[in-house]
Amino acid sequence: VDPARDTFGAMTGLYAAIQPADSVSLSTRTHGAVFNLEYSPDGSVLTVACEQTEVLLFDPISSKHIKTLSEAHEDCVNNIRFLDNRLFATCSDDTTIALWDLRKLNTKVCTLHGHTSWVKNIEYDTNTRLLVTSGFDGNVIIWDTNRCTEDGCPHKKFFHTRFLMRMRLTPDCSKMLISTSSGYLLILHDLDLNKSLEVGSYPILRARRTTSSSDITSSGSSGPRAVGSPCHQNNSGPLSEKALSRPSQREGGSPRNSLEVLTPEVPGERDRGNCITSLQLHPKGWATLLRCSSNTDDQEWTCVYEFQEGAPVRPVSPRCSLRLTHCIEEANVGRGYIKELCFSPDGRMISSPHGFGIRLLGFDAHCSELVDCLPREASPLREIRSLYSHNDVVLTTKFSPTHCQIASGCLSGRVSLYQPKF
């Protein structure tokens, strides 16, 4: 028996008692909108990525301001990623990535140049110490932090796709997921970051729409989408049926870096395209969490897709590696801004920006593990608690990795902390 399953009731009780408290509200209104929040792995530092070129650092326990990196970049700071308890990376619309050391914040460790457009998110492989970044230039770039100097790090382009929005690595770094503004979700299976993927060099698994549980026995949902995928081809055109259907399996399983192209099913969006604006992964690698908005920008949805065991190894496989399990419609406010949502450290809860506040969502009313409450058909996420303390649209939220605490940041630049109050 997993001991964590015996203690989740205590955590659920703590989160049920969580509230905003004025004493721990952090005002950052002079620094522009808050685009991203990130805790250090030990929970001792909260970093804030701001619209106006700045990065703020706070002690989340005492709510004391530690440092302001007033010129961290020359444009909006979009994302922050800790490599360990002292090193962290930031990326910006100025097309650069910067490395910082908490022990010496007066200067950058180094600045990384390689992207040609806005850099939107950062991932890190702790096994190989490779930094992975993605941007609106469509490139995913690998940086070798083992050989970092003041002049930067050796780097190479790993992958390219049109309409790239976000890129994530699964916790075991066995898969890379890429979301696009055209509604596609790309999955690279059996990931090998040491191999660059040139145009046409990766095996392509059959493109198709993801299933909900009720679709598993339906053969009609297993066909490829009629329109072209965002994968960059030699002719820059849509993927042809011939390209989608060519053999891609190796003996005993799918090849390294095999590409699966999916169009995730979103409720109410069967006949309308959608944009995947936010992409997160379950901390145990069981599921992916998407925030989708319709192309007409009149609906937003939060959706959970379970990873089915294994990847499809044949292009004629009747199923894909993801299926829709839970979803909920979101407040359609703050149009044009991306709302970053997140899983709790144990993966039982989701914190989602909702208008001027956040909602805590569970897979059921008891905040059970996903694997313990998988529905036969796609079910609504359950609202556990709503928390409101902002006067503007919330853009990002994050759970502390070590304490029962949640942070949120809004469009007007305010950061609030929520913690239990009895």
Side-chain angles (χ1 to χ4, degrees):
V1 177
D2 181 359
R5 299 191 183 192
D6 295 333
T7 60
F8 81 92
M11 287 304 296
T12 303
L14 284 174
Y15 281 117
I18 208 164
Q19 314 183 18
D22 292 338
S23 61
V24 293
S25 292
L26 312 176
S27 178
T28 61
R29 297 179 212 182
T30 61
H31 310 285
V34 174
F35 287 159
N36 182 238
L37 298 164
E38 187 70 17
Y39 286 87
S40 60
D42 62 4
S44 64
V45 177
L46 173 65
T47 55
V48 182
C50 299
E51 179 183 17
Q52 303 294 340
T53 77
E54 297 185 343
V55 173
L56 306 175
L57 293 92
F58 292 91
D59 177 349
I61 305 304
S62 66
S63 73
K64 300 293 185 182
H65 177 250
I66 298 173
K67 180 79 173 178
T68 295
L69 308 178
S70 58
E71 296 182 358
H73 288 275
E74 296 178 1
D75 209 331
C76 303
V77 185
N78 296 315
N79 190 234
I80 302 173
R81 178 77 178 191
F82 274 86
L83 284 59
D84 53 36
N85 282 320
R86 61 181 182 84
L87 288 173
F88 65 95
T90 59
C91 65
S92 169
D93 283 357
D94 67 6
T95 76
T96 70
I97 301 98
L99 292 182
W100 304 86
D101 191 325
L102 287 176
R103 300 170 301 181
K104 188 180 179 182
L105 289 170
N106 292 328
T107 59
K108 301 174 185 178
V109 174
C110 63
T111 301
L112 311 181
H113 299 270
H115 284 279
T116 58
S117 186
W118 301 346
V119 189
K120 288 299 180 180
N121 84 284
I122 307 169
E123 291 288 281
Y124 184 62
D125 183 347
T126 55
N127 299 318
T128 61
R129 294 185 65 193
L130 293 174
L131 200 68
V132 190
T133 61
S134 67
F136 279 3
D137 55 4
N139 291 324
V140 176
I141 296 181
I142 308 294
W143 310 83
D144 186 358
T145 57
N146 296 298
R147 295 187 288 158
C148 227
T149 68
E150 291 183 357
D151 298 324
C153 297
H155 67 280
K156 64 180 180 181
K157 291 182 182 178
F158 176 73
F159 187 78
H160 177 84
T161 183
R162 292 173 289 167
F163 317 124
L164 189 153
M165 288 292 291
R166 293 290 185 270
M167 171 275 306
R168 301 290 178 195
L169 300 179
T170 54
D172 62 0
C173 296
S174 64
K175 297 180 179 68
M176 177 184 288
L177 280 74
I178 298 172
S179 65
T180 70
S181 60
S182 57
Y184 286 92
L185 184 66
L186 313 181
I187 305 179
L188 286 165
H189 293 277
D190 200 6
L191 188 65
D192 182 1
L193 292 175
N194 293 310
K195 179 181 178 182
S196 292
L197 300 179
E198 303 298 335
V199 172
S201 70
Y202 40 85
I204 300 179
L205 304 176
R206 192 178 183 89
R208 60 182 304 262
R209 178 179 288 277
T210 59
T211 59
S212 61
S213 299
S214 59
D215 294 329
I216 290 177
T217 58
S218 171
S219 59
S221 65
S222 62
R225 184 167 172 148
V227 299
S229 88
C231 304
H232 191 74
Q233 299 295 300
N234 285 321
N235 59 5
S236 299
L239 285 177
S240 65
E241 181 69 21
K242 180 178 179 182
L244 292 173
S245 303
R246 68 176 182 262
S248 63
Q249 70 270 30
R250 64 181 177 182
E251 197 68 32
S254 59
R256 300 299 298 272
N257 293 330
S258 55
L259 176 66
E260 185 179 10
V261 184
L262 305 174
T263 51
E265 181 181 349
V266 179
E269 295 298 319
R270 285 186 179 273
D271 300 321
R272 296 189 296 171
N274 65 83
C275 173
I276 304 173
T277 57
S278 180
L279 168 66
Q280 299 291 340
L281 289 169
H282 190 280
K284 297 180 182 177
W286 293 342
T288 182
L289 177 65
L290 304 183
R291 184 75 167 251
C292 304
S293 61
S294 64
N295 283 344
T296 54
D297 212 18
D298 61 348
Q299 279 187 314
E300 277 191 321
W301 291 84
T302 289
C303 300
V304 178
Y305 300 85
E306 173 211 12
F307 280 105
Q308 298 191 79
E309 194 64 31
V313 297
R314 295 179 298 165
V316 295
S317 174
R319 68 162 179 83
C320 61
S321 60
L322 292 177
R323 74 176 182 93
L324 177 66
T325 63
H326 297 82
C327 57
I328 192 169
E329 189 169 4
E330 296 285 3
N332 188 34
V333 296
R335 297 184 183 186
Y337 285 93
I338 295 173
K339 291 91 175 181
E340 298 286 2
L341 62 177
C342 65
F343 279 108
S344 62
D346 60 5
R348 294 176 182 271
M349 299 181 70
I350 295 164
S351 180
S352 175
H354 189 261
F356 288 11
I358 60 174
R359 288 195 298 188
L360 301 184
L361 305 171
F363 304 115
D364 64 13
H366 306 291
C367 298
S368 301
E369 292 268 23
L370 176 62
V371 294
D372 291 336
C373 60
L374 282 174
R376 294 182 63 86
E377 297 184 2
S379 299
L381 287 164
R382 300 295 185 92
E383 183 175 336
I384 307 299
R385 188 79 191 276
S386 292
L387 301 166
Y388 295 96
S389 66
H390 292 273
N391 295 317
D392 210 334
V393 178
V394 174
L395 301 181
T396 183
T397 179
K398 187 71 70 172
F399 282 90
S400 167
T402 55
H403 298 84
C404 187
Q405 186 181 81
I406 308 170
S408 63
C410 71
L411 185 58
S412 62
R414 183 184 179 90
V415 175
S416 289
L417 298 182
Y418 311 87
Q419 50 198 31
K421 185 176 181 181
F422 299 100

